[in-house]
Amino acid sequence: MSKELGIKTSKKKNFSKWYLEVIEKAEILDTRYGVKGFQIFLPTGMLAIDNIVRLFEDSLQERGHMPCLFPTVIPQSYFKKESVHIKGFENEVFWITHAGKNKLDEKLVLRPTSETAMYPMYALWIRSYTNLPFKLYQKGTVYRYETKMTKPLIRGREFYWIEDHTAQKSWEDAEKQTLEDSEIFKEVVEDALSIPYLFLKRPEWDKFPGADNTYAFETVLPDGLILQIGTTHNLGRNFSKVFKIKYTDKDGKKKLVSQTSYGPGISRILASVIAIHGDDRGLIFPPTIAPIQIVIIPIFTNESKTKVYEKCAEVLGKLEEKGFRVHLDDREQYTPGFKFHEWELRGVPIRIEIGPKDIEKKQISIVRRDFLERIQIEEERLEQQITETLDSINYQLSKRARESFLIQSAKDYDELKTKLKIGGFIKIPFCMRESCAKKLKEKLGIDVRGTIVGKREEVNGKCIVCKNKAKEIAYVGRSY
Ligand SMILES: [Zn+2]
């Protein structure tokens, strides 16, 4: 390895620079590809992505959502059908106009999202109420011509996600589906990845193009900026009307299906994991998605080498047998100290060190990545201790993340301005009018992210902007 190990920037002092440094040095992405906004996932990044995706797929399939894969291209005629949808996306799609030297008869869109690719086929497949609910998802990349400044994993022109599209008998069933989507999100993002977030209903003026209701999952990064990491939409009958997706109900009548689309933003979820859990030594992966959960470092002299390697191989075998993702770092050109730093940078949750003295005492040294604390354990308790330590790391990551998850409240405009300096979400009494939201954006650069789902919050007082009676407690803040 030619490049310098070790993170030079303090996360607290300059989060943005720290984030880029970690992404580069821990080899998550390479951003030097020759097209702006497009990047390369390196093995560590890709393995983590695969593990996040697997968690979502397990959760989806448990609830009857099945995988599929649609083409990356959408013909213009499909794409243009839903007028609100096309209006929302027309400025940010990539077009394919030529093949070889020939101009195509019909232009093709590189999918920015797949409603208009999937629904013409749903119209062919769905016939009767017995087909419903109909639930398919796909994983893959989508393309949007972003004009804002791009940032690795957070805003790119190509990004990796899962999109899940369902068809339901009624509008109410579609609304229920969005709640199931939020359960899936909780299982993966909050429980397995220890990332706190809010589930918010977007205001009317900020809905997904073509949706009746839009809900968003949003977290806060250490710079105080809010990041949307997933959405789910109740599309109602807006798409089924234009794509003619009908079913014959029990009463023999033909009816339009109601639909939902759900998109956990996998790249952005990985960005949150890196940003929220990492420290000045680099990444800290939650054990659930760590490409390597345990690394074994042999420490030996010439005399003890054979004995140490034998013990390492034995420990490796035992842990692999139990299903842990383990790696033995047997590179001899590097010192143990160098290896310690490298695996800390790459966020491996547990390091095992094995030396001649440990072997004599029938013990093993383990170092956990979150506290960087060394524990001596008896060899025979190894597997049990590893399981407990991985659980404890997950717990600690979750605790730390929750403690720094910023939700403040402000009663008036001045208080809002003061609290804004700290960042995160700020709860305000609000009239829910777009004109007031525009003023907040113009004057303070903040967005109205929405209202909390599943909890009716008591509203007192006046809208912080227009002083009319407040309708809701809105969550606002600066965002990516
Ligand atoms: Zn107002």
Side-chain angles (χ1 to χ4, degrees):
M1 187 175 293
S2 58
K3 77 183 159 202
E4 227 178 317
L5 279 183
I7 303 296
K8 301 262 178 282
T9 316
S10 148
K11 180 177 172 183
K12 223 178 185 160
K13 283 188 188 145
N14 189 344
F15 166 75
S16 221
K17 196 168 164 212
W18 171 90
Y19 175 78
L20 295 175
E21 206 180 334
V22 170
I23 293 232
E24 185 200 328
K25 289 190 171 165
E27 298 185 335
I28 300 292
L29 292 181
D30 198 320
T31 56
R32 294 171 299 175
Y33 193 69
V35 187
K36 191 177 175 283
F38 289 75
Q39 59 228 343
I40 299 141
F41 282 95
L42 297 171
T44 303
M46 201 56 221
L47 287 167
I49 289 269
D50 280 346
N51 290 338
I52 297 173
V53 167
R54 194 165 309 128
L55 292 171
F56 271 107
E57 291 199 80
D58 288 348
S59 227
L60 283 162
Q61 290 186 14
E62 232 169 66
R63 291 169 174 86
H65 301 250
M66 297 311 281
C68 66
L69 183 59
F70 272 73
T72 318
V73 292
I74 305 173
Q76 185 177 26
S77 55
Y78 287 12
F79 186 66
K80 288 220 143 158
K81 271 199 171 144
E82 213 288 328
S83 58
V84 182
H85 186 73
I86 168 82
K87 217 166 154 246
F89 279 103
E90 65 189 349
N91 288 328
E92 49 178 284
V93 290
F94 288 93
W95 289 101
I96 300 176
T97 56
H98 287 77
K101 287 183 178 158
N102 304 318
K103 200 170 166 211
L104 296 177
D105 292 338
E106 182 174 12
K107 289 201 289 182
L108 303 171
V109 169
L110 271 184
R111 61 177 178 216
T113 173
S114 300
E115 283 76 8
T116 57
M118 295 170 90
Y119 299 167
M121 301 310 295
Y122 277 33
L124 298 176
W125 295 336
I126 294 169
R127 285 281 159 265
S128 133
Y129 71 93
T130 55
N131 300 130
L132 302 176
F134 188 84
K135 307 175 177 182
L136 284 183
Y137 72 87
Q138 65 177 358
K139 53 189 172 182
T141 44
V142 289
Y143 303 85
R144 295 181 191 175
Y145 183 70
E146 280 286 352
T147 47
K148 288 189 197 165
M149 182 117 101
T150 60
K151 194 172 182 114
L153 297 176
I154 290 177
R155 180 170 286 112
R157 290 176 172 173
E158 176 183 49
F159 61 89
Y160 198 90
W161 76 347
I162 289 174
E163 52 179 317
D164 176 84
H165 296 263
T166 79
Q168 311 273 345
K169 281 182 217 156
S170 67
W171 195 93
E172 291 70 26
D173 285 352
E175 199 62 14
K176 270 185 215 146
Q177 180 59 50
T178 63
L179 293 178
E180 183 184 84
D181 300 339
S182 90
E183 270 170 38
I184 294 169
F185 208 82
K186 181 185 177 297
E187 271 182 23
V188 179
V189 177
E190 187 178 315
D191 300 347
L193 305 181
S194 303
I195 297 292
Y197 62 85
L198 293 182
F199 185 43
L200 297 169
K201 184 177 184 198
R202 282 270 191 267
E204 282 301 307
W205 64 86
D206 193 22
K207 294 186 305 193
F208 176 76
D212 283 351
N213 279 329
T214 284
Y215 303 97
F217 305 91
E218 307 211 307
T219 190
V220 179
L221 298 194
D223 55 3
L225 296 183
I226 296 162
L227 181 68
Q228 173 186 303
I229 48 178
T231 50
T232 177
H233 316 285
N234 182 346
L235 304 174
R237 299 185 182 92
N238 302 324
F239 286 88
S240 63
K241 249 178 251 159
V242 291
F243 288 101
K244 301 192 172 56
I245 314 174
K246 289 178 188 165
Y247 70 101
T248 309
D249 206 352
K250 269 187 190 158
D251 55 16
K253 286 188 182 138
K254 288 222 180 241
K255 295 174 184 171
L256 291 169
V257 299
S258 286
Q259 290 176 275
T260 63
S261 86
Y262 171 42
I266 304 298
S267 318
R268 283 185 164 197
I269 291 170
L270 178 60
S272 318
V273 165
I274 294 167
I276 292 172
H277 297 322
D279 64 12
D280 284 352
R281 295 201 187 202
L283 285 175
I284 304 181
F285 271 124
T288 45
I289 59 156
I292 298 172
Q293 294 169 310
I294 305 150
V295 62
I296 303 171
I297 315 267
I299 298 166
F300 54 84
T301 56
N302 279 341
E303 303 84 69
S304 59
K305 184 173 170 180
T306 315
K307 214 165 68 181
V308 167
Y309 267 115
E310 272 171 17
K311 182 52 77 182
C312 287
E314 186 192 320
V315 169
L316 176 74
K318 268 190 199 163
L319 293 174
E320 276 181 340
E321 202 177 297
K322 291 279 169 190
F324 295 112
R325 297 188 286 273
V326 203
H327 174 71
L328 169 62
D329 188 350
D330 56 4
R331 297 172 300 172
E332 296 198 350
Q333 67 272 38
Y334 298 119
T335 62
F338 180 94
K339 293 178 183 176
F340 295 170
H341 280 119
E342 185 178 350
W343 296 113
E344 280 167 8
L345 166 66
R346 289 172 184 268
V348 175
I350 293 178
R351 170 170 94 228
I352 291 180
E353 299 168 13
I354 296 176
K357 281 197 189 124
D358 300 311
I359 299 175
E360 253 168 54
K361 291 188 198 157
K362 290 199 183 333
Q363 69 178 26
I364 282 169
S365 301
I366 68 172
V367 179
R368 50 190 286 171
R369 176 62 183 86
D370 52 350
F371 291 131
L372 295 165
E373 130 196 278
R374 188 181 309 267
I375 325 161
Q376 314 286 351
I377 56 173
E378 289 165 42
E379 207 192 309
E380 27 179 61
R381 290 199 64 239
L382 177 70
E383 286 115 303
Q384 192 193 343
Q385 193 80 34
I386 291 281
T387 306
E388 284 170 19
T389 308
L390 289 175
D391 284 348
S392 163
I393 291 172
N394 240 1
Y395 173 78
Q396 285 303 330
L397 289 180
S398 164
K399 187 163 168 269
R400 275 189 204 173
R402 270 184 283 120
E403 280 164 5
S404 53
F405 189 63
L406 271 177
I407 304 178
Q408 314 181 76
S409 322
K411 284 183 295 297
D412 55 49
Y413 197 79
D414 286 339
E415 197 182 355
L416 176 62
K417 266 167 61 182
T418 314
K419 300 242 161 122
L420 204 52
K421 287 178 195 142
I422 306 167
F425 285 104
I426 305 167
K427 296 162 67 168
I428 57 163
F430 195 62
C431 67
M432 297 311 284
R433 286 194 311 197
E434 192 177 3
S435 53
C436 282
K438 275 189 176 152
K439 275 184 195 149
L440 285 176
K441 182 76 180 171
E442 277 159 24
K443 288 190 179 154
L444 300 173
I446 65 180
D447 300 300
V448 175
R449 309 305 292 178
T451 52
I452 208 97
V453 181
K455 188 169 87 178
R456 176 77 196 154
E457 292 190 283
E458 207 180 312
V459 192
N460 287 317
K462 295 170 177 168
C463 169
I464 220 165
V465 188
C466 67
K467 305 277 189 328
N468 286 317
K469 194 174 166 7
K471 268 198 185 145
E472 300 270 8
I473 297 295
Y475 288 69
V476 304
R478 292 208 173 104
S479 62
Y480 275 99

